[in-house]
Amino acid sequence: MSETTSRYLLEQLIGFATVSRDSNLELIEFVRDYLAQLDVECELFYNAERTKANLFATIGPRDRGGIVLSGHTDVVPVDGQAWSFDPFKLSEKEGRLYGRGTADMKGYLASVLAAVPLFVEAELQIPVHLAFSYDEEVGCLGVRPMLAVLEKRKHKPLLCLIGEPTGLKPVLGHKGKLAMRCQVIGAPCHSAYAPYGVNAIQYAARLINRLEEIGERLAQPEHHDARFDPPYSTVQTGVIKGGRALNIVPAECEFDFEVRALPGFDANEVAEDLQTYAQAELLPRMRAVQSDVDILLEPLSEYPGLATPPDSETARILAMLCGSEEFGTVAFGTEGGLFNHAGIPTVVCGPGSMDQGHKPDEYVTIEQLRGCDSMMERIARYAAGPMPAIG
Ligand SMILES: [Zn+2]
């Protein structure tokens, strides 16, 4: 088979418009068929509607845990973005490969697939697992059912390498995220009689203020972790809706907020604080006017932070595989938090930069793609043992 270069495979992968809202099955079937030609079997984990699937494959021995090469197959939409190239057709210009998902993160997937013949020939002592997921861009949702199965297997993976774009620098940490919706149900009346109603917008404002106070508390120096930017957990309100007309006391107001939590800080503490404040301070006042009013909190999405200790043996191996000991952190979230949470030490390291991710004219350089191919060669050598010296 000649068509196994990362460049050729990237071209194929970019051609599947796997925007999160649409099916990823054509891409998954392409990967399944490609692997089948190399005598690699895979398992597919479908969603309930069978419109999307995760793919999991193992190369090498099956009686021990191995190295997971993990990435998501979905991409963010291109709606409303001004592209100079067709986003779903790979274009090359001045050493850059353009297309939706080239950086985030089909470049990595292409490099992993291109290395499969190498893994197959290498007589691996440590197995290499491929874990390709869906619905990452909408809250790391798709990978969860696959992880639930892997966690229960007798031979749990040893390590996980997630190829989100980090310029091929190993990243051992990122913040976790909790997104929530708060709904305030007030009581409407003519605005001339405002005190007889319960103004949902005004109570929502108090709740939002409370969130800001919590954020200020979390920003105090004693909570800082200098590895992150900003070095503390943050809280912000991003969407608000409420009211119908100025002369009606608003009956409802809804707002969405998120917590970006340092690893080790439980973002749910923020939601609990808000709940307690609502119960103790606001609801009694609201109910003194009208009884059928309420404040409801609902989680929208959540993923844990990632914090692999940089001085661990695992980190040493990961640094060798990634070809760099310059450990960093990133601001964006990944599926790494979930792998880590499942007890699988994880590093994020992939070609390209998130500066290009999610934007028009997204690209990965040919140099970065080649760098990723070299990383795959190091992984093949390491997994084939004996363990090479670092450096
Ligand atoms: Zn991504």
Side-chain angles (χ1 to χ4, degrees), residues 49-376:
E49 300 79 32
R50 289 186 79 83
T51 53
K52 298 177 186 176
N54 296 306
L55 178 145
F56 187 80
T58 299
I59 305 157
R62 284 165 186 271
D63 60 348
R64 62 201 85 162
I67 302 169
V68 182
L69 305 178
S70 166
H72 60 83
T73 59
D74 57 324
V75 295
V76 294
V78 296
D79 309 302
Q81 295 186 342
W83 279 72
S84 342
F85 306 92
D86 179 347
F88 298 109
K89 186 172 174 294
L90 196 72
S91 302
E92 181 179 339
K93 198 180 166 189
E94 289 160 7
R96 293 173 174 179
L97 300 169
Y98 290 88
R100 169 54 84 227
T102 44
D104 185 15
M105 56 186 290
K106 290 177 172 175
Y108 174 77
L109 299 183
S111 202
V112 169
L113 291 174
V116 170
L118 200 66
F119 297 142
V120 170
E121 284 156 27
E123 288 186 41
L124 301 180
Q125 305 301 306
I126 302 170
V128 169
H129 310 287
L130 272 45
F132 292 1
S133 66
Y134 61 87
D135 280 357
E136 189 273 349
E137 295 290 6
V138 288
C140 298
L141 300 179
V143 73
R144 292 168 203 248
M146 177 162 65
L147 259 177
V149 174
L150 296 185
E151 236 182 320
K152 285 195 214 101
R153 293 224 163 135
K154 197 165 146 213
H155 306 289
K156 201 155 102 172
L158 294 175
L159 301 173
C160 175
L161 199 149
I162 298 189
E164 292 278 355
T166 64
L168 295 171
K169 293 269 182 317
V171 161
L172 297 180
H174 63 68
K175 290 179 183 176
K177 179 173 126 176
L178 171 66
M180 301 214 52
R181 177 159 296 164
C182 179
Q183 207 189 340
V184 181
I185 302 163
C189 70
H190 191 293
S191 63
Y193 304 100
Y196 306 143
V198 177
N199 188 314
I201 292 181
Q202 286 176 203
Y203 279 99
R206 287 173 196 245
L207 290 158
I208 292 167
N209 272 338
R210 178 70 173 197
L211 287 173
E212 198 174 352
E213 283 166 21
I214 298 170
E216 281 164 9
R217 212 160 60 223
L218 294 175
Q220 294 301 308
E222 64 265 31
H223 303 301
H224 283 201
D225 182 335
R227 290 177 298 165
F228 297 89
D229 176 25
Y232 45 84
S233 303
T234 57
V235 185
Q236 78 108 20
T237 304
V239 181
I240 185 163
K241 278 181 253 171
R244 287 170 193 269
L246 185 55
N247 61 359
I248 305 171
V249 168
E252 67 271 319
C253 184
E254 189 182 274
F255 63 92
D256 296 350
F257 65 96
E258 62 167 32
V259 184
R260 299 275 176 163
L262 288 173
F265 174 69
D266 182 359
N268 287 296
E269 280 183 30
V270 174
E272 280 158 25
D273 181 304
L274 198 67
Q275 185 86 56
T276 309
Y277 174 68
Q279 291 288 347
E281 307 273 336
L282 303 186
L283 281 168
R285 267 198 257 177
M286 292 163 73
R287 287 183 176 144
V289 181
Q290 290 264 350
S291 59
D292 57 346
V293 293
D294 216 341
I295 296 173
L296 305 168
L297 279 171
E298 164 202 4
L300 297 175
S301 69
E302 184 180 12
Y303 58 76
L306 170 66
T308 302
D311 50 2
S312 58
E313 170 65 10
T314 311
R316 195 183 64 81
I317 296 169
L318 292 171
M320 180 192 54
L321 299 180
C322 299
S324 167
E325 286 182 47
E326 255 182 80
F327 292 123
T329 59
V330 285
F332 58 85
T334 74
E335 293 170 341
L338 294 166
F339 278 94
N340 210 34
H341 200 70
I344 304 168
T346 297
V347 68
V348 185
C349 184
S353 163
M354 203 48 117
D355 290 345
Q356 274 83 49
H358 300 202
K359 288 191 187 151
D361 291 346
E362 176 178 351
Y363 68 84
V364 68
T365 63
I366 293 173
E367 192 191 350
Q368 282 278 306
L369 199 60
R370 289 207 185 115
C372 192
D373 293 342
S374 305
M375 178 163 81
M376 293 303 135

